[in-house]
């Protein structure tokens, strides 16, 4: 019913920037929240940033003041602007969206992930 398409991952040197994007497509009625999670090898998946339809935003302490989450409601797209990247930011980043479908079914949907590698 809903598909998430992520883009923007890649290789960047420490101190550099990347912007991730995630667009939802399908039988979407409304979206309650959008967020980004990441998982590094050998570690658990963790919340990076999340924004609700009401405008509430949560950031992981490790990325606050460096990353910015934003949305384009018309395009059903969430962005993650990542600045001052550090090697510890290296991970697979996953998009998540809390979606109400056109048939009024609500659920969380995940993207396939996009790899961000930050080198020294």
């Amino acid at each position: 019913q809903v598909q998430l398409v992520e883009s923007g991952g890649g290789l960047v040197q420490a101190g550099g920037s990347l912007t991730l994007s995630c667009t939802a497509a399908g039988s979407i009625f409304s979206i309650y929240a959008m967020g980004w999670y990441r998982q590094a090898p050998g570690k658990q998946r963790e919340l990076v940033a999340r924004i609700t339809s009401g405008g509430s935003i949560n950031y992981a302490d490790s990325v606050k003041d460096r990353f910015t989450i934003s949305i384009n409601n018309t395009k059903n797209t969430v962005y993650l602007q990542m600045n001052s990247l550090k090697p510890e930011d290296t991970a697979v980043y996953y998009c998540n969206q809390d979606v109400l479908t056109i048939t009024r079914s609500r659920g969380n949907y995940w993207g396939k992930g996009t790899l961000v590698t930050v080198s020294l």
Side-chain angles (χ1 to χ4, degrees):
Q1 290 182 281
V2 178
Q3 302 83 41
L4 306 184
V5 179
E6 301 153 319
S7 64
L11 175 65
V12 66
Q13 289 186 298
S17 299
L18 284 174
T19 300
L20 307 182
S21 65
C22 171
T23 298
S27 303
I28 300 168
F29 181 79
S30 64
I31 301 176
Y32 291 109
M34 306 182 188
W36 291 93
Y37 296 72
R38 68 187 182 187
Q39 187 168 25
K43 302 190 71 175
Q44 291 186 283
R45 186 175 300 186
E46 64 175 349
L47 172 70
V48 177
R50 184 175 184 268
I51 183 168
T52 71
S53 61
S56 297
I57 298 175
N58 292 324
Y59 291 105
D61 288 340
S62 60
V63 308
K64 195 173 181 65
D65 300 324
R66 297 189 296 121
F67 293 8
T68 302
I69 188 169
S70 62
I71 59 172
N72 184 319
N73 288 311
T74 302
K75 299 181 184 298
N76 293 327
T77 298
V78 59
Y79 305 91
L80 186 67
Q81 175 68 51
M82 304 184 293
N83 298 321
S84 302
L85 283 161
K86 304 174 180 179
E88 52 261 45
D89 295 318
T90 296
V92 176
Y93 284 70
Y94 296 91
C95 178
N96 174 265
Q97 299 197 25
D98 183 359
V99 176
L100 183 69
T101 71
I102 201 72
T103 59
R104 307 301 191 271
S105 176
R106 184 175 179 177
N108 277 316
Y109 294 85
W110 292 89
K112 67 181 186 299
T114 183
L115 178 63
V116 173
T117 302
V118 184
S119 64
L120 292 170

